[in-house]
């Protein structure tokens, strides 16, 4: 199939982008890397009369350290997370997750903002926003606002972004020398969406962990914080006893559904395996 005919604009300012969207009276889509939107247009799952290309907006570009926070522009491409030194140093979970996201051709075009705006529950980067405790900067009718990841993911493909609003940047608490992290996922083939995946961040405090944040994906309609497992691990060394206890606690954190391919019981089992692997491979800065 081919996409329905549409008009296309590439505004230079946020004001122009919002005005173009509003003029289409809701029958418009923003486009960033196009790696999810273009297939949806081609299959006519979406058929807006106007595409508003965000590529000309400078506010959505660049990666910079602002005090204790790393500001990552929404147009930063998946592939840049592997090469950008500030991301590798201060948001290492993104660099760890990137090789698992799709394939190189898609990573060269897909953007972090597009992935986090779409909020596919099987996607790596949205869940890593939750694991890192990031804030999403959104441009709307009232101007700019920031929404913490814990409030951002609302339901299946539903986020705090209202129609016509634009995700500008991701603000990530900058990881430092005391932090450790891990990412992993279980998929049938490399590049496939994961059956279960997750990432975690924590600080080392003596032999123990503190500020533990664990986020899983492909276990429900949104990325999920594993708060019970986090509580078990807080202040403890990730030894065999703590890992086993956290794996048991994880059962209360997730509520996966049966689907045609994977029964909920298997996803629960895979989530426990995954948590064990994350804790066994916690990495620290080199
Ligand atoms: P687009 O496709 O341009 O947009 C996606 C949606 O977000 C649209 O609804 C658009 O209107 C909206 N949007 C985009 N940018 C903004 C913004 N700044 N503000 C507000 N709304 C915005 N992803 C994974 O996570 N893991 C995978 O394993 C994976 N595998 C894939 C395999 C294939 C074959 C393909 C085609 C895609 C795969 N993807 C995967 C999806 C890919 O990562 C997409 O690039 C990403 O999800 C969307 O980013 P984008 O920049 O291409 O967004």
């Amino acid at each position: 199939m081919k996409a329905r005919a549409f008009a296309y604009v590439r505004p230079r300012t946020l004001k122009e982008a919002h005005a173009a969207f509003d003029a289409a009276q809701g029958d418009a889509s923003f486009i960033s890397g196009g790696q999810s939107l273009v297939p949806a247009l081609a299959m006519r799952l979406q058929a807006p009369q106007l595409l508003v290309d965000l590529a000309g907006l400078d506010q959505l570009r660049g990666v910079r350290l602002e005090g204790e926070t790393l500001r990552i522009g929404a147009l930063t491409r998946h592939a840049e997370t592997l090469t950008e030194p500030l991301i590798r140093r201060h948001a290492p979970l993104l660099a760890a997750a990137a090789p698992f996201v799709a394939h190189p051709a898609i990573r060269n075009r897909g953007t972090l903002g597009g992935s986090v705006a779409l909020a596919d529950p099987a996607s790596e980067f949205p869940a890593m926003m939750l694991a890192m405790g990031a804030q999403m900067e959104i441009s709307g009718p009232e101007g700019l606002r920031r929404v913490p990841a814990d409030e951002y993911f609302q339901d299946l493909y539903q986020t705090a972004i209202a129609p016509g609003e634009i995700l500008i940047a991701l603000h990530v608490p900058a990881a430092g020398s005391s932090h450790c992290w891990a990412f992993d996922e279980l998929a049938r083939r490399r590049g496939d969406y994961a059956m279960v995946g997750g990432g975690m961040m924590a600080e080392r405090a003596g032999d123990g962990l503190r500020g533990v944040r664990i986020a899983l994906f492909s276990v429900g309609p949104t990325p999920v914080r594993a708060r019970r497992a986090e509580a078990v691990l807080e202040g403890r060394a990730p030894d065999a006893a703590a890992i086993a206890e956290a794996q048991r606690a994880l059962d209360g954190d997730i509520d996966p559904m049966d689907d045609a391919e994977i029964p909920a019981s298997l996803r629960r089992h895979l989530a426990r395996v995954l948590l064990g692997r994350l804790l066994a491979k916690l990495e620290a800065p080199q």
Side-chain angles (χ1 to χ4, degrees):
M1 284 176 85
K2 284 189 178 170
R4 199 181 78 178
F6 52 79
Y8 170 91
V9 290
R10 188 167 167 156
R12 307 297 306 182
T13 65
L14 272 177
K15 200 172 161 198
E16 286 174 22
H18 286 302
F21 190 98
D22 291 346
Q25 295 175 330
D27 196 4
S29 286
F30 295 118
I31 181 164
S32 289
Q35 299 305 294
S36 294
L37 184 61
V38 170
L41 296 179
M43 290 187 275
R44 299 207 178 185
L45 298 172
Q46 285 174 255
Q49 55 162 272
L50 175 68
L51 288 192
V52 181
D53 191 343
L54 301 178
L57 303 181
D58 287 343
Q59 291 103 313
L60 275 65
R61 294 201 176 274
V63 178
R64 59 177 186 267
L65 206 50
E66 294 178 343
E68 308 272 289
T69 302
L70 189 65
R71 181 196 190 274
I72 304 175
L75 287 171
T76 303
R77 299 199 190 278
H78 300 349
E80 288 176 70
T81 63
L82 293 163
T83 55
E84 165 56 56
L86 285 172
I87 293 181
R88 294 185 65 84
R89 182 148 175 222
H90 296 297
L93 262 188
L94 297 181
F100 295 85
V101 179
H103 306 282
I106 291 157
R107 296 201 289 266
N108 286 338
R109 299 291 313 167
T111 66
L112 285 180
S115 177
V116 174
L118 183 64
D120 186 321
S123 270
E124 289 82 357
F125 292 132
M128 294 313 101
M129 295 301 145
L130 199 53
M132 295 185 297
Q135 297 203 340
M136 303 341 137
E137 185 179 357
I138 297 167
S139 169
E142 314 281 299
L144 298 179
R145 70 182 197 283
R146 291 193 191 186
V147 180
D150 286 315
E151 295 162 24
Y152 173 83
F153 299 103
Q154 298 181 345
D155 206 339
L156 186 63
Y157 295 110
Q158 272 179 38
T159 69
I161 303 177
E165 293 192 320
I166 299 172
L167 181 59
I168 302 295
L170 313 159
H171 295 264
V172 177
S177 55
S178 60
H179 285 88
C180 52
W181 67 88
F183 174 89
D184 209 343
E185 68 177 46
L186 300 165
R188 289 205 165 89
R189 293 171 306 186
R190 190 71 178 240
D192 280 4
Y193 281 101
M195 294 184 285
V196 172
M200 69 173 287
M201 291 288 303
E203 274 190 274
R204 297 256 187 217
D207 289 340
L209 300 175
R210 88 168 168 224
V212 182
R213 289 185 70 103
I214 302 169
L216 301 182
F217 53 96
S218 284
V219 292
T222 64
V224 174
R225 278 264 314 265
R227 290 178 189 272
R228 289 178 174 83
E230 290 171 2
V232 167
L233 294 163
E234 195 64 33
R236 289 174 71 178
D239 55 22
I243 292 175
E245 204 180 313
Q247 285 172 313
R248 284 193 295 277
L250 185 64
D251 253 0
D253 285 318
I254 58 173
D255 187 18
M257 308 248 298
D258 283 316
D259 67 34
E261 289 186 25
I262 308 175
S265 56
L266 176 57
R267 266 191 225 274
R268 281 187 184 282
H269 170 73
L270 294 178
R272 285 193 292 269
V273 171
L274 184 95
L275 180 60
R277 289 190 186 179
L278 291 178
L279 288 161
K281 67 188 261 192
L282 276 174
E283 293 178 65
Q286 303 301 310

